[in-house]
Amino acid sequence: PEERSQFALLIIMSDAPVARKRGPFRVFFYRGIEVKKLMDLSQREFVAMLHSRARRRFARGRVSSKLIKRIRKAKKQAEDGQKPPVVKTHQRNMIILPEMVGSIVGVYNGKDFTQVEIKPQMIGHYLGEFSITYKPVGHGRGGLGGKGGKLMPL
């Protein structure tokens, strides 16, 4: 009788819905260092970890500190749990730094400003990589202007 009750319990437990425990967020690493630790590094220490083209730009002083200051100011203005206001810029060649993570930057694409939310995976890339400058072509449609209609004689 004791074995039957254990067997019955197993059947009852197997019918119950199982609440799956969700794992933690995946932590992003840049060159083996966690993003939170990257933010604690000085700019000189972080620049040493960048690729050679970016290191050269920082060494020559060709990085706009004005944009970084505006991003810091926007982050301070934001309330806790809220996204900071958009900081607009024409500087598509700005290298994304760890302190820019979480901010929203309006990157000019030649016509208007594309809003780009800076994520940890973007560190070390250029702002312009995330704001497309052209309208992708829709191939495979006939007619004038690719609208799908037949060609009309003039």
Side-chain angles (χ1 to χ4, degrees), residues 27-41:
V27 180
F28 177 75
F29 290 89
Y30 180 78
R31 309 259 170 134
I33 298 178
E34 197 174 333
V35 175
K36 289 180 182 178
K37 292 180 182 175
L38 281 176
M39 291 187 185
D40 295 335
L41 294 177

Side-chain angles (χ1 to χ4, degrees), residues 117-146:
E117 185 176 351
I118 308 296
K119 295 185 167 84
Q121 293 83 359
M122 298 178 179
I123 293 174
H125 290 266
Y126 293 92
L127 281 175
E129 293 181 48
F130 306 101
S131 176
I132 193 165
T133 57
Y134 60 91
K135 185 177 177 184
V137 178
H139 292 285
R141 290 185 174 170
L144 292 172

Side-chain angles (χ1 to χ4, degrees), residues 22-148:
R22 294 185 78 174
F25 288 110
R26 185 173 177 200
V27 180
F28 177 75
F29 290 89
Y30 180 78
R31 309 259 170 134
I33 298 178
E34 197 174 333
V35 175
K36 289 180 182 178
K37 292 180 182 175
L38 281 176
M39 291 187 185
D40 295 335
L41 294 177
S42 68
Q43 189 169 355
R44 180 173 284 178
E45 292 170 332
F46 174 71
V47 169
M49 295 172 49
L50 289 172
H51 52 92
S52 61
R53 171 53 48 191
R55 283 196 310 269
R56 183 177 172 89
R57 279 193 60 194
F58 276 94
R60 302 292 188 271
R62 302 219 184 266
V63 178
S64 171
S65 59
K66 192 174 181 181
L67 176 62
I68 296 171
K69 287 177 185 174
R70 288 176 39 216
I71 289 173
R72 283 183 194 145
K73 184 179 176 184
K75 276 188 162 186
K76 284 181 184 176
Q77 288 177 353
E79 298 174 14
D80 290 338
Q82 296 291 322
K83 291 184 180 179
V86 178
V87 176
K88 292 183 178 181
T89 184
H90 281 241
Q91 296 176 338
R92 299 174 54 81
N93 63 351
M94 179 67 187
I95 296 166
I96 296 174
L97 303 173
E99 62 182 304
M100 297 168 75
V101 171
S103 59
I104 300 173
V105 181
V107 183
Y108 193 68
N109 65 3
K111 185 177 181 183
D112 46 50
F113 291 91
T114 307
Q115 288 190 8
V116 178
E117 185 176 351
I118 308 296
K119 295 185 167 84
Q121 293 83 359
M122 298 178 179
I123 293 174
H125 290 266
Y126 293 92
L127 281 175
E129 293 181 48
F130 306 101
S131 176
I132 193 165
T133 57
Y134 60 91
K135 185 177 177 184
V137 178
H139 292 285
R141 290 185 174 170
L144 292 172
K147 301 290 183 194

